[in-house]
Amino acid sequence: MLKYCPKDLQADICVHLNRVILDTNPAFQHASIGALRALARNFWICHVAPGDRVVHTGESLDVLYFIVKGSLEVKQNGAVVGLLGKNTGVSI
């Protein structure tokens, strides 16, 4: 439905839908509203079930992930080598 709206309205809706990320992530604290509107139009909301892989070793990425709720385990050779998320003390 969103693609049928005018681009300005799309941007406003996307900023509203992604308000938690835009308001709580330090990466966006000094961004202008115009920059936030442009960025928010390119956000995708992705829900990941426990145990699902988000990124595979050696995979080339063209996206940036923000963890809004929960955490991600970083594994290497089957062992957990890191934990990323809101309540882990690691800001991403």
Side-chain angles (χ1 to χ4, degrees):
M1 282 310 277
L2 197 57
K3 67 181 178 181
Y4 299 111
C5 296
K7 296 220 185 291
D8 285 341
L9 182 56
Q10 286 179 22
D12 291 338
I13 291 169
C14 290
V15 165
H16 175 73
L17 292 174
N18 296 290
R19 181 57 59 197
V20 171
I21 296 168
L22 298 172
D23 286 348
T24 61
N25 194 296
F28 305 115
Q29 75 183 102
H30 297 296
S32 68
I33 188 63
L36 295 176
R37 291 173 85 231
L39 286 167
R41 286 190 61 227
N42 292 293
F43 281 3
W44 289 23
I45 297 173
C46 177
H47 299 274
V48 180
D52 283 357
R53 284 187 183 203
V54 177
V55 179
H56 295 82
T57 302
E59 183 178 5
S60 177
L61 300 176
D62 60 356
V63 297
L64 178 64
Y65 292 96
F66 292 95
I67 301 170
V68 175
K69 186 176 180 181
S71 61
L72 289 175
E73 290 180 338
V74 179
K75 291 186 176 182
Q76 190 172 36
N77 298 324
V80 176
V81 296
L83 189 62
L84 304 174
K86 285 287 189 183
N87 299 322
T88 62
V90 177
S91 178
I92 58 171

